[in-house]
Amino acid sequence: MAIGLGALPTDVAAQTYPSTGPISGYMDFHFNKPESADGSLDFHRFVLILTHSFSPRIRFVGELELEHAFVEGLEESGEVELEQAYVDFLLTRSFNIRAGMLLVPMGIINERHEPPVFHGVERPFVDTVIIPSTWFDTGAGVHGEVGRGLRYRAYAMAPLNALEFSADEGIREGRQKGSKSNVRSVAFAARTEYVGVPNLTLGASVYHGRSGFNVPRLHVPVRVVDVDARYKLRRFETRGQVAHVSIGDAAALNDAVQRITGISPNIARGLRGFYGEASYRVWAAGPSKDLVSFFRYENFDTQFRMPPGFVPLKEFDRDAFVFGVTYFPDPDVAVKADFVLQRNQSGFVKAPNSFNVGLGWWF
Amino acid sequence: MLLLGIVLVATAGAGAYRAQAPERRVIRVTAERFAFTPSRIVVEAGEAIELRLTSDDTAHGFRIQGTDISIVIPKRGLPETTVTFTAPAPGRYTFECTRMCGAGHNFMRGELVVRPRRDGARDR
C-alpha cells in the first residue's frame, strides 16, 4: 500500500480530541506439567488496555490484569492488578512527564511483556525472582529521547516493603503495587536505552529505595541494577541480561522478621541472575508460516551473598535450561511449547523439570 | 484542516505515482515494540521523500503530527507500506505510533527534522 502527498500540510492534525481508543490487551493460556506432579491448565493472564487522548499532548493509558482467572482474596487463587494507569504529558521529544501507576523501567521483560514478544511459555526466571516482573507502583517521572536513539526514563516511585522479602523469591513479594503504598521514603528508578543502530537495543537500569518503613530503626536500602541487550541478524536473534540486587541491613532485617514471625526468612544481602537466549526463525514465509526455535540458559541465585552469620540455602542457587519453539499463526498469536530443565546446588532438594505449552495473543 | 494533494492508491497505482516523481529520497523505517528505527529522520525542505515502512511484529500506526499523514504499518511478513511527500518548511515534526501496541506504546515516537535547503532555493 502506498500513500502519496504532494507536500506536507502545516495545519493541525486531522484527528479530533478528546478521543478514546479501542480496547487492546493480551491473554496467556498455559498448560504446565512439572515433573512428578499433575499437569494444570491455567488461564494465566487476561489483560485489558484502555487509552484516551485528552489532547495530542495529554494521554491516558490503563492496564487492568486478571491473573489465574479467578479471585478469592489471595494471590494463589488469582489476582486483579492495576498494572498501569498513568497520564503522559508529551511535551517534546526529549522531555515528557508521566504520573500514575507506572511500570518500573527495569530489564527486558518488565516493560515489554506481551506474549508474542518473548519465547518460552513462562517469562524468564531472572525476570521473575531477581527482577520481580511485572514490577509496578505509583509514582511520577520524566522520559524522552535525545540524539539518535538514546532514550531515558527516570521515575520517583513508592518503595518496596522489606518485611515481605524472602529467601526463594527475593524482593518479589515486597512490591506494594500501588495499594495505599507507604511513601515514608521515595524510591528512584531509571533506565537508559540505546536504539540508534538497527536491530540492536542496549539497556541499563538502576533502582534505589529504602524499604524498611515497616521495620523500626531500619532503612533497608535496596538497589537493583541491570544491563541487557537484544540483537537481530536476519533469522537469528539473541538477547541477554544481567541483574543484581543488593539489600542493606539484611542481617538486622532477618532478626526483625524473626522477632515478628518466629521464623528467620534467611534474606540475602545480594541476589544475582543472568541469562542468554538465542533463537532462530526456522520458517519465515510470512504470517502463518512463521516458526522460531530457541534456547535459553539462566542462572539465578536469591542467596548469592548472605549477611554475616547466615548460611545460604543452596536450593535457591539455580540454573535453568529452557528450549522449545514458538509458532506464530499470526504475528500477534503465539503458540509455544518448551522444556525447562532446572538444576540447583542443593544435595537434598531437587529443582523440578517441566513441560509447558502456551497460547498467547495480543489484540 | 488543509489537505494538500492527498492520493491514496493501491500498490499498482503507487508505482505509477512514483514514476512521476524522480530523485525521490528513499528512507526505510522499521517499527517494532516500542521504537521506530531510525527514530530521527533529517531531510531538507522541499526534498522529495519516500518512506518505506515495515513492522517486525504487530501492526503499528504511523502519524506525523501536524500533517494528515496517518497510516497503519502492516504486521511482520506483510508487504511494506509507502508514504511519499515533499518535505515542508524547516522545523521539527513528531511522528508516533497511533495504534496501541503494548506497555511502551507512548514511547514509540520519533522526529522528522526538516532543515533549510543547502542550495539556497526557496522552500516550497
PDB file of all heavy atoms in Angstrom, chain A residues 1-6 11-12 15 59 88 114 145 151 153 232 290 330 332, chain B residues 1 7 14 34 39 56 58 63 66 71 75-76 82 84 86 96 103 106-107:
ATOM      1  N   MET A   1       0.842  -1.191   0.000  1.00  0.00           N
ATOM      2  CA  MET A   1       0.000   0.000   0.000  1.00  0.00           C
ATOM      3  C   MET A   1       0.872   1.233   0.000  1.00  0.00           C
ATOM      4  O   MET A   1       1.942   1.264   0.584  1.00  0.00           O
ATOM      5  CB  MET A   1      -0.878  -0.017   1.250  1.00  0.00           C
ATOM      6  CG  MET A   1      -1.724   1.211   1.410  1.00  0.00           C
ATOM      7  SD  MET A   1      -2.698   1.110   2.913  1.00  0.00           S
ATOM      8  CE  MET A   1      -2.959   2.834   3.182  1.00  0.00           C
ATOM      9  N   ALA A   2       0.437   2.267  -0.675  1.00  0.00           N
ATOM     10  CA  ALA A   2       1.235   3.482  -0.717  1.00  0.00           C
ATOM     11  C   ALA A   2       0.347   4.697  -0.551  1.00  0.00           C
ATOM     12  O   ALA A   2      -0.811   4.712  -0.953  1.00  0.00           O
ATOM     13  CB  ALA A   2       1.975   3.563  -2.050  1.00  0.00           C
ATOM     14  N   ILE A   3       0.906   5.679   0.066  1.00  0.00           N
ATOM     15  CA  ILE A   3       0.211   6.948   0.201  1.00  0.00           C
ATOM     16  C   ILE A   3       1.126   8.019  -0.366  1.00  0.00           C
ATOM     17  O   ILE A   3       2.290   8.097  -0.018  1.00  0.00           O
ATOM     18  CB  ILE A   3      -0.105   7.271   1.664  1.00  0.00           C
ATOM     19  CG1 ILE A   3      -1.184   6.317   2.177  1.00  0.00           C
ATOM     20  CG2 ILE A   3      -0.573   8.700   1.830  1.00  0.00           C
ATOM     21  CD1 ILE A   3      -1.540   6.544   3.605  1.00  0.00           C
ATOM     22  N   GLY A   4       0.609   8.834  -1.245  1.00  0.00           N
ATOM     23  CA  GLY A   4       1.418   9.897  -1.801  1.00  0.00           C
ATOM     24  C   GLY A   4       0.853  11.244  -1.437  1.00  0.00           C
ATOM     25  O   GLY A   4      -0.356  11.458  -1.473  1.00  0.00           O
ATOM     26  N   LEU A   5       1.719  12.148  -1.048  1.00  0.00           N
ATOM     27  CA  LEU A   5       1.300  13.503  -0.735  1.00  0.00           C
ATOM     28  C   LEU A   5       2.172  14.484  -1.490  1.00  0.00           C
ATOM     29  O   LEU A   5       3.390  14.355  -1.482  1.00  0.00           O
ATOM     30  CB  LEU A   5       1.415  13.778   0.771  1.00  0.00           C
ATOM     31  CG  LEU A   5       0.431  12.987   1.631  1.00  0.00           C
ATOM     32  CD1 LEU A   5       1.086  11.758   2.179  1.00  0.00           C
ATOM     33  CD2 LEU A   5      -0.086  13.869   2.725  1.00  0.00           C
ATOM     34  N   GLY A   6       1.547  15.468  -2.080  1.00  0.00           N
ATOM     35  CA  GLY A   6       2.329  16.454  -2.794  1.00  0.00           C
ATOM     36  C   GLY A   6       3.221  17.236  -1.869  1.00  0.00           C
ATOM     37  O   GLY A   6       4.357  17.534  -2.165  1.00  0.00           O
ATOM     38  N   ASP A  11      -1.025  22.606   8.779  1.00  0.00           N
ATOM     39  CA  ASP A  11      -2.157  22.836   9.665  1.00  0.00           C
ATOM     40  C   ASP A  11      -2.172  21.760  10.753  1.00  0.00           C
ATOM     41  O   ASP A  11      -1.344  20.864  10.791  1.00  0.00           O
ATOM     42  CB  ASP A  11      -3.451  22.782   8.841  1.00  0.00           C
ATOM     43  CG  ASP A  11      -4.562  23.582   9.499  1.00  0.00           C
ATOM     44  OD1 ASP A  11      -4.414  23.903  10.684  1.00  0.00           O
ATOM     45  OD2 ASP A  11      -5.549  23.865   8.804  1.00  0.00           O
ATOM     46  N   VAL A  12      -3.141  21.823  11.650  1.00  0.00           N
ATOM     47  CA  VAL A  12      -3.230  20.852  12.734  1.00  0.00           C
ATOM     48  C   VAL A  12      -3.595  19.483  12.203  1.00  0.00           C
ATOM     49  O   VAL A  12      -4.076  19.336  11.088  1.00  0.00           O
ATOM     50  CB  VAL A  12      -4.279  21.286  13.776  1.00  0.00           C
ATOM     51  CG1 VAL A  12      -3.863  22.568  14.435  1.00  0.00           C
ATOM     52  CG2 VAL A  12      -5.646  21.424  13.117  1.00  0.00           C
ATOM     53  N   GLN A  15      -6.867  14.371  13.358  1.00  0.00           N
ATOM     54  CA  GLN A  15      -7.590  13.732  14.445  1.00  0.00           C
ATOM     55  C   GLN A  15      -8.194  14.767  15.384  1.00  0.00           C
ATOM     56  O   GLN A  15      -7.593  15.785  15.687  1.00  0.00           O
ATOM     57  CB  GLN A  15      -6.646  12.832  15.237  1.00  0.00           C
ATOM     58  CG  GLN A  15      -7.371  12.068  16.329  1.00  0.00           C
ATOM     59  CD  GLN A  15      -6.480  11.020  16.964  1.00  0.00           C
ATOM     60  OE1 GLN A  15      -5.478  10.631  16.392  1.00  0.00           O
ATOM     61  NE2 GLN A  15      -6.853  10.577  18.143  1.00  0.00           N
ATOM     62  N   ARG A  59      -2.258  12.251  27.432  1.00  0.00           N
ATOM     63  CA  ARG A  59      -2.833  10.946  27.112  1.00  0.00           C
ATOM     64  C   ARG A  59      -2.856  10.033  28.330  1.00  0.00           C
ATOM     65  O   ARG A  59      -1.943  10.054  29.149  1.00  0.00           O
ATOM     66  CB  ARG A  59      -2.004  10.273  26.011  1.00  0.00           C
ATOM     67  CG  ARG A  59      -1.997  11.077  24.738  1.00  0.00           C
ATOM     68  CD  ARG A  59      -1.116  10.470  23.704  1.00  0.00           C
ATOM     69  NE  ARG A  59      -1.054  11.331  22.526  1.00  0.00           N
ATOM     70  CZ  ARG A  59      -0.343  11.064  21.452  1.00  0.00           C
ATOM     71  NH1 ARG A  59       0.378   9.973  21.402  1.00  0.00           N
ATOM     72  NH2 ARG A  59      -0.350  11.894  20.437  1.00  0.00           N
ATOM     73  N   ASP A  88       0.298  10.712  30.509  1.00  0.00           N
ATOM     74  CA  ASP A  88       1.517  11.223  29.886  1.00  0.00           C
ATOM     75  C   ASP A  88       1.284  12.662  29.440  1.00  0.00           C
ATOM     76  O   ASP A  88       0.267  12.959  28.786  1.00  0.00           O
ATOM     77  CB  ASP A  88       1.864  10.384  28.642  1.00  0.00           C
ATOM     78  CG  ASP A  88       3.029   9.449  28.883  1.00  0.00           C
ATOM     79  OD1 ASP A  88       3.852   9.736  29.771  1.00  0.00           O
ATOM     80  OD2 ASP A  88       3.108   8.431  28.176  1.00  0.00           O
ATOM     81  N   GLU A 114       4.348  -8.557  26.466  1.00  0.00           N
ATOM     82  CA  GLU A 114       3.241  -9.139  25.717  1.00  0.00           C
ATOM     83  C   GLU A 114       3.669 -10.534  25.220  1.00  0.00           C
ATOM     84  O   GLU A 114       4.813 -10.716  24.789  1.00  0.00           O
ATOM     85  CB  GLU A 114       2.879  -8.241  24.534  1.00  0.00           C
ATOM     86  CG  GLU A 114       2.376  -6.856  24.930  1.00  0.00           C
ATOM     87  CD  GLU A 114       3.469  -5.910  25.417  1.00  0.00           C
ATOM     88  OE1 GLU A 114       4.647  -6.162  25.105  1.00  0.00           O
ATOM     89  OE2 GLU A 114       3.159  -4.932  26.117  1.00  0.00           O
ATOM     90  N   GLU A 145      13.748  11.060  24.563  1.00  0.00           N
ATOM     91  CA  GLU A 145      14.799  10.527  23.695  1.00  0.00           C
ATOM     92  C   GLU A 145      15.634  11.680  23.188  1.00  0.00           C
ATOM     93  O   GLU A 145      15.096  12.725  22.804  1.00  0.00           O
ATOM     94  CB  GLU A 145      14.181   9.755  22.523  1.00  0.00           C
ATOM     95  CG  GLU A 145      15.215   9.160  21.577  1.00  0.00           C
ATOM     96  CD  GLU A 145      14.582   8.259  20.521  1.00  0.00           C
ATOM     97  OE1 GLU A 145      13.573   7.596  20.816  1.00  0.00           O
ATOM     98  OE2 GLU A 145      15.103   8.229  19.385  1.00  0.00           O
ATOM     99  N   ARG A 151      17.458   6.827  24.714  1.00  0.00           N
ATOM    100  CA  ARG A 151      16.217   7.043  25.455  1.00  0.00           C
ATOM    101  C   ARG A 151      16.481   6.983  26.959  1.00  0.00           C
ATOM    102  O   ARG A 151      17.391   6.285  27.400  1.00  0.00           O
ATOM    103  CB  ARG A 151      15.211   5.955  25.099  1.00  0.00           C
ATOM    104  CG  ARG A 151      14.851   5.927  23.651  1.00  0.00           C
ATOM    105  CD  ARG A 151      14.047   4.684  23.354  1.00  0.00           C
ATOM    106  NE  ARG A 151      13.038   4.968  22.362  1.00  0.00           N
ATOM    107  CZ  ARG A 151      11.958   4.229  22.150  1.00  0.00           C
ATOM    108  NH1 ARG A 151      11.750   3.146  22.876  1.00  0.00           N
ATOM    109  NH2 ARG A 151      11.095   4.557  21.237  1.00  0.00           N
ATOM    110  N   ARG A 153      14.331   7.070  30.985  1.00  0.00           N
ATOM    111  CA  ARG A 153      13.157   7.184  31.830  1.00  0.00           C
ATOM    112  C   ARG A 153      13.663   7.310  33.258  1.00  0.00           C
ATOM    113  O   ARG A 153      14.605   6.597  33.639  1.00  0.00           O
ATOM    114  CB  ARG A 153      12.255   5.951  31.702  1.00  0.00           C
ATOM    115  CG  ARG A 153      11.907   5.667  30.251  1.00  0.00           C
ATOM    116  CD  ARG A 153      10.903   4.580  30.088  1.00  0.00           C
ATOM    117  NE  ARG A 153      11.450   3.251  29.910  1.00  0.00           N
ATOM    118  CZ  ARG A 153      12.097   2.826  28.830  1.00  0.00           C
ATOM    119  NH1 ARG A 153      12.341   3.661  27.839  1.00  0.00           N
ATOM    120  NH2 ARG A 153      12.514   1.579  28.731  1.00  0.00           N
ATOM    121  N   LYS A 232      19.309  -8.589  16.512  1.00  0.00           N
ATOM    122  CA  LYS A 232      18.746  -9.436  15.474  1.00  0.00           C
ATOM    123  C   LYS A 232      19.612  -9.364  14.230  1.00  0.00           C
ATOM    124  O   LYS A 232      20.091  -8.287  13.850  1.00  0.00           O
ATOM    125  CB  LYS A 232      17.331  -8.968  15.101  1.00  0.00           C
ATOM    126  CG  LYS A 232      16.276  -9.390  16.074  1.00  0.00           C
ATOM    127  CD  LYS A 232      14.895  -9.214  15.505  1.00  0.00           C
ATOM    128  CE  LYS A 232      14.580  -7.759  15.278  1.00  0.00           C
ATOM    129  NZ  LYS A 232      13.150  -7.551  14.949  1.00  0.00           N
ATOM    130  N   ASP A 290       5.465 -19.217  10.131  1.00  0.00           N
ATOM    131  CA  ASP A 290       6.393 -18.456  10.953  1.00  0.00           C
ATOM    132  C   ASP A 290       6.681 -19.270  12.217  1.00  0.00           C
ATOM    133  O   ASP A 290       5.846 -19.374  13.111  1.00  0.00           O
ATOM    134  CB  ASP A 290       5.715 -17.119  11.299  1.00  0.00           C
ATOM    135  CG  ASP A 290       6.670 -16.099  11.865  1.00  0.00           C
ATOM    136  OD1 ASP A 290       7.818 -16.454  12.146  1.00  0.00           O
ATOM    137  OD2 ASP A 290       6.246 -14.944  12.039  1.00  0.00           O
ATOM    138  N   ASP A 330      -0.161 -16.019  13.375  1.00  0.00           N
ATOM    139  CA  ASP A 330      -0.304 -14.599  13.080  1.00  0.00           C
ATOM    140  C   ASP A 330       0.768 -13.915  13.946  1.00  0.00           C
ATOM    141  O   ASP A 330       1.084 -14.415  15.023  1.00  0.00           O
ATOM    142  CB  ASP A 330      -1.708 -14.128  13.480  1.00  0.00           C
ATOM    143  CG  ASP A 330      -1.932 -12.652  13.193  1.00  0.00           C
ATOM    144  OD1 ASP A 330      -1.481 -11.801  14.004  1.00  0.00           O
ATOM    145  OD2 ASP A 330      -2.559 -12.340  12.171  1.00  0.00           O
ATOM    146  N   ASP A 332       0.550 -11.718  15.941  1.00  0.00           N
ATOM    147  CA  ASP A 332       0.024 -11.383  17.266  1.00  0.00           C
ATOM    148  C   ASP A 332      -0.456 -12.596  18.053  1.00  0.00           C
ATOM    149  O   ASP A 332      -1.033 -12.447  19.133  1.00  0.00           O
ATOM    150  CB  ASP A 332      -1.143 -10.389  17.122  1.00  0.00           C
ATOM    151  CG  ASP A 332      -0.658  -9.022  16.705  1.00  0.00           C
ATOM    152  OD1 ASP A 332       0.479  -8.662  17.035  1.00  0.00           O
ATOM    153  OD2 ASP A 332      -1.430  -8.304  16.025  1.00  0.00           O
TER     154      ASP A 332
ATOM    155  N   MET B   1      -8.593  22.262   8.388  1.00  0.00           N
ATOM    156  CA  MET B   1      -7.551  21.292   8.037  1.00  0.00           C
ATOM    157  C   MET B   1      -7.212  21.459   6.566  1.00  0.00           C
ATOM    158  O   MET B   1      -8.046  21.388   5.688  1.00  0.00           O
ATOM    159  CB  MET B   1      -8.097  19.891   8.307  1.00  0.00           C
ATOM    160  CG  MET B   1      -7.131  18.796   7.950  1.00  0.00           C
ATOM    161  SD  MET B   1      -5.768  18.813   9.085  1.00  0.00           S
ATOM    162  CE  MET B   1      -4.552  18.016   8.072  1.00  0.00           C
ATOM    163  N   VAL B   7      -3.231  11.529  -2.109  1.00  0.00           N
ATOM    164  CA  VAL B   7      -3.619  10.488  -3.037  1.00  0.00           C
ATOM    165  C   VAL B   7      -3.444   9.159  -2.341  1.00  0.00           C
ATOM    166  O   VAL B   7      -2.338   8.822  -1.924  1.00  0.00           O
ATOM    167  CB  VAL B   7      -2.750  10.508  -4.313  1.00  0.00           C
ATOM    168  CG1 VAL B   7      -3.236   9.438  -5.288  1.00  0.00           C
ATOM    169  CG2 VAL B   7      -2.790  11.877  -4.950  1.00  0.00           C
ATOM    170  N   ALA B  14       0.476   3.129  -6.914  1.00  0.00           N
ATOM    171  CA  ALA B  14       1.633   3.768  -6.310  1.00  0.00           C
ATOM    172  C   ALA B  14       2.824   3.731  -7.246  1.00  0.00           C
ATOM    173  O   ALA B  14       3.610   4.676  -7.316  1.00  0.00           O
ATOM    174  CB  ALA B  14       1.981   3.067  -5.003  1.00  0.00           C
ATOM    175  N   PHE B  34       9.217  -0.971  21.143  1.00  0.00           N
ATOM    176  CA  PHE B  34       8.417   0.225  21.101  1.00  0.00           C
ATOM    177  C   PHE B  34       9.278   1.341  20.520  1.00  0.00           C
ATOM    178  O   PHE B  34       9.570   2.332  21.171  1.00  0.00           O
ATOM    179  CB  PHE B  34       7.930   0.596  22.508  1.00  0.00           C
ATOM    180  CG  PHE B  34       7.098  -0.496  23.119  1.00  0.00           C
ATOM    181  CD1 PHE B  34       7.613  -1.350  24.056  1.00  0.00           C
ATOM    182  CD2 PHE B  34       5.785  -0.684  22.686  1.00  0.00           C
ATOM    183  CE1 PHE B  34       6.834  -2.360  24.595  1.00  0.00           C
ATOM    184  CE2 PHE B  34       5.010  -1.699  23.237  1.00  0.00           C
ATOM    185  CZ  PHE B  34       5.542  -2.540  24.186  1.00  0.00           C
ATOM    186  N   SER B  39      14.719   6.695  14.531  1.00  0.00           N
ATOM    187  CA  SER B  39      13.717   7.490  15.241  1.00  0.00           C
ATOM    188  C   SER B  39      13.899   8.974  14.978  1.00  0.00           C
ATOM    189  O   SER B  39      13.097   9.785  15.442  1.00  0.00           O
ATOM    190  CB  SER B  39      13.808   7.221  16.746  1.00  0.00           C
ATOM    191  OG  SER B  39      15.090   7.565  17.232  1.00  0.00           O
ATOM    192  N   ASP B  56       8.332  -5.266  12.453  1.00  0.00           N
ATOM    193  CA  ASP B  56       8.945  -6.532  12.852  1.00  0.00           C
ATOM    194  C   ASP B  56       8.067  -7.319  13.806  1.00  0.00           C
ATOM    195  O   ASP B  56       8.458  -8.383  14.275  1.00  0.00           O
ATOM    196  CB  ASP B  56      10.307  -6.284  13.516  1.00  0.00           C
ATOM    197  CG  ASP B  56      11.433  -6.299  12.510  1.00  0.00           C
ATOM    198  OD1 ASP B  56      11.166  -6.612  11.333  1.00  0.00           O
ATOM    199  OD2 ASP B  56      12.573  -5.990  12.883  1.00  0.00           O
ATOM    200  N   THR B  58       3.850  -6.544  15.500  1.00  0.00           N
ATOM    201  CA  THR B  58       2.429  -6.306  15.290  1.00  0.00           C
ATOM    202  C   THR B  58       2.212  -5.135  14.320  1.00  0.00           C
ATOM    203  O   THR B  58       3.161  -4.498  13.865  1.00  0.00           O
ATOM    204  CB  THR B  58       1.765  -6.007  16.652  1.00  0.00           C
ATOM    205  OG1 THR B  58       0.352  -5.977  16.497  1.00  0.00           O
ATOM    206  CG2 THR B  58       2.249  -4.683  17.214  1.00  0.00           C
ATOM    207  N   ARG B  63       1.915   8.229  12.328  1.00  0.00           N
ATOM    208  CA  ARG B  63       1.327   9.538  12.069  1.00  0.00           C
ATOM    209  C   ARG B  63       2.391  10.612  12.289  1.00  0.00           C
ATOM    210  O   ARG B  63       3.147  10.547  13.255  1.00  0.00           O
ATOM    211  CB  ARG B  63       0.163   9.805  13.020  1.00  0.00           C
ATOM    212  CG  ARG B  63      -0.421  11.218  12.859  1.00  0.00           C
ATOM    213  CD  ARG B  63      -1.695  11.410  13.650  1.00  0.00           C
ATOM    214  NE  ARG B  63      -1.505  11.269  15.063  1.00  0.00           N
ATOM    215  CZ  ARG B  63      -2.472  10.977  15.929  1.00  0.00           C
ATOM    216  NH1 ARG B  63      -3.691  10.751  15.488  1.00  0.00           N
ATOM    217  NH2 ARG B  63      -2.236  10.883  17.209  1.00  0.00           N
ATOM    218  N   GLY B  66       0.693  17.192  13.040  1.00  0.00           N
ATOM    219  CA  GLY B  66       0.600  18.446  12.309  1.00  0.00           C
ATOM    220  C   GLY B  66       0.444  18.258  10.820  1.00  0.00           C
ATOM    221  O   GLY B  66       0.507  19.229  10.063  1.00  0.00           O
ATOM    222  N   ILE B  71      -1.168   6.454   8.859  1.00  0.00           N
ATOM    223  CA  ILE B  71      -1.387   5.174   8.190  1.00  0.00           C
ATOM    224  C   ILE B  71      -1.152   4.035   9.168  1.00  0.00           C
ATOM    225  O   ILE B  71      -0.673   4.236  10.272  1.00  0.00           O
ATOM    226  CB  ILE B  71      -0.436   5.001   6.985  1.00  0.00           C
ATOM    227  CG1 ILE B  71       1.018   5.057   7.478  1.00  0.00           C
ATOM    228  CG2 ILE B  71      -0.692   6.034   5.921  1.00  0.00           C
ATOM    229  CD1 ILE B  71       2.003   4.550   6.470  1.00  0.00           C
ATOM    230  N   LYS B  75       1.489  -5.868   9.760  1.00  0.00           N
ATOM    231  CA  LYS B  75       2.239  -6.772  10.630  1.00  0.00           C
ATOM    232  C   LYS B  75       3.452  -7.369   9.915  1.00  0.00           C
ATOM    233  O   LYS B  75       3.547  -7.316   8.690  1.00  0.00           O
ATOM    234  CB  LYS B  75       1.332  -7.915  11.095  1.00  0.00           C
ATOM    235  CG  LYS B  75       0.163  -7.486  11.932  1.00  0.00           C
ATOM    236  CD  LYS B  75      -0.716  -8.683  12.270  1.00  0.00           C
ATOM    237  CE  LYS B  75      -1.929  -8.253  13.088  1.00  0.00           C
ATOM    238  NZ  LYS B  75      -2.792  -9.393  13.450  1.00  0.00           N
ATOM    239  N   ARG B  76       4.316  -7.970  10.721  1.00  0.00           N
ATOM    240  CA  ARG B  76       5.510  -8.630  10.198  1.00  0.00           C
ATOM    241  C   ARG B  76       5.158  -9.619   9.087  1.00  0.00           C
ATOM    242  O   ARG B  76       4.181 -10.368   9.180  1.00  0.00           O
ATOM    243  CB  ARG B  76       6.203  -9.400  11.336  1.00  0.00           C
ATOM    244  CG  ARG B  76       7.436 -10.175  10.909  1.00  0.00           C
ATOM    245  CD  ARG B  76       8.058 -10.944  12.049  1.00  0.00           C
ATOM    246  NE  ARG B  76       7.200 -12.008  12.520  1.00  0.00           N
ATOM    247  CZ  ARG B  76       6.827 -12.166  13.788  1.00  0.00           C
ATOM    248  NH1 ARG B  76       7.248 -11.322  14.696  1.00  0.00           N
ATOM    249  NH2 ARG B  76       6.044 -13.157  14.146  1.00  0.00           N
ATOM    250  N   THR B  82       4.168   2.467   1.901  1.00  0.00           N
ATOM    251  CA  THR B  82       4.991   3.568   1.422  1.00  0.00           C
ATOM    252  C   THR B  82       4.259   4.896   1.571  1.00  0.00           C
ATOM    253  O   THR B  82       3.072   4.980   1.271  1.00  0.00           O
ATOM    254  CB  THR B  82       5.353   3.352  -0.071  1.00  0.00           C
ATOM    255  OG1 THR B  82       6.032   2.098  -0.190  1.00  0.00           O
ATOM    256  CG2 THR B  82       6.251   4.458  -0.577  1.00  0.00           C
ATOM    257  N   THR B  84       4.824   8.908   0.445  1.00  0.00           N
ATOM    258  CA  THR B  84       5.637   9.863  -0.309  1.00  0.00           C
ATOM    259  C   THR B  84       5.125  11.273  -0.043  1.00  0.00           C
ATOM    260  O   THR B  84       3.929  11.508   0.042  1.00  0.00           O
ATOM    261  CB  THR B  84       5.584   9.562  -1.822  1.00  0.00           C
ATOM    262  OG1 THR B  84       4.232   9.657  -2.259  1.00  0.00           O
ATOM    263  CG2 THR B  84       6.122   8.187  -2.123  1.00  0.00           C
ATOM    264  N   THR B  86       6.561  15.725  -0.058  1.00  0.00           N
ATOM    265  CA  THR B  86       7.604  16.730  -0.215  1.00  0.00           C
ATOM    266  C   THR B  86       7.827  17.384   1.140  1.00  0.00           C
ATOM    267  O   THR B  86       6.875  17.838   1.789  1.00  0.00           O
ATOM    268  CB  THR B  86       7.178  17.795  -1.245  1.00  0.00           C
ATOM    269  OG1 THR B  86       6.937  17.136  -2.490  1.00  0.00           O
ATOM    270  CG2 THR B  86       8.271  18.843  -1.424  1.00  0.00           C
ATOM    271  N   GLU B  96       4.683   9.355  15.370  1.00  0.00           N
ATOM    272  CA  GLU B  96       4.351   8.483  16.502  1.00  0.00           C
ATOM    273  C   GLU B  96       3.511   7.306  16.045  1.00  0.00           C
ATOM    274  O   GLU B  96       2.891   7.340  14.982  1.00  0.00           O
ATOM    275  CB  GLU B  96       3.560   9.279  17.539  1.00  0.00           C
ATOM    276  CG  GLU B  96       2.253   9.811  16.980  1.00  0.00           C
ATOM    277  CD  GLU B  96       1.485  10.676  17.965  1.00  0.00           C
ATOM    278  OE1 GLU B  96       1.942  10.823  19.100  1.00  0.00           O
ATOM    279  OE2 GLU B  96       0.417  11.182  17.583  1.00  0.00           O
ATOM    280  N   ALA B 103       2.779  -2.144  26.345  1.00  0.00           N
ATOM    281  CA  ALA B 103       3.023  -1.328  27.529  1.00  0.00           C
ATOM    282  C   ALA B 103       3.821  -0.064  27.231  1.00  0.00           C
ATOM    283  O   ALA B 103       3.661   0.951  27.892  1.00  0.00           O
ATOM    284  CB  ALA B 103       3.749  -2.160  28.583  1.00  0.00           C
ATOM    285  N   ASN B 106       3.438   4.604  24.273  1.00  0.00           N
ATOM    286  CA  ASN B 106       3.661   6.058  24.216  1.00  0.00           C
ATOM    287  C   ASN B 106       5.129   6.439  24.036  1.00  0.00           C
ATOM    288  O   ASN B 106       5.444   7.593  23.762  1.00  0.00           O
ATOM    289  CB  ASN B 106       3.116   6.732  25.477  1.00  0.00           C
ATOM    290  CG  ASN B 106       1.622   7.010  25.373  1.00  0.00           C
ATOM    291  OD1 ASN B 106       0.982   6.664  24.380  1.00  0.00           O
ATOM    292  ND2 ASN B 106       1.062   7.616  26.404  1.00  0.00           N
ATOM    293  N   PHE B 107       6.035   5.458  24.231  1.00  0.00           N
ATOM    294  CA  PHE B 107       7.452   5.736  23.957  1.00  0.00           C
ATOM    295  C   PHE B 107       7.746   5.703  22.460  1.00  0.00           C
ATOM    296  O   PHE B 107       8.825   6.113  22.028  1.00  0.00           O
ATOM    297  CB  PHE B 107       8.353   4.687  24.621  1.00  0.00           C
ATOM    298  CG  PHE B 107       8.283   4.684  26.121  1.00  0.00           C
ATOM    299  CD1 PHE B 107       8.251   3.492  26.817  1.00  0.00           C
ATOM    300  CD2 PHE B 107       8.263   5.870  26.828  1.00  0.00           C
ATOM    301  CE1 PHE B 107       8.196   3.479  28.200  1.00  0.00           C
ATOM    302  CE2 PHE B 107       8.205   5.864  28.220  1.00  0.00           C
ATOM    303  CZ  PHE B 107       8.172   4.671  28.908  1.00  0.00           C
TER     304      PHE B 107
END
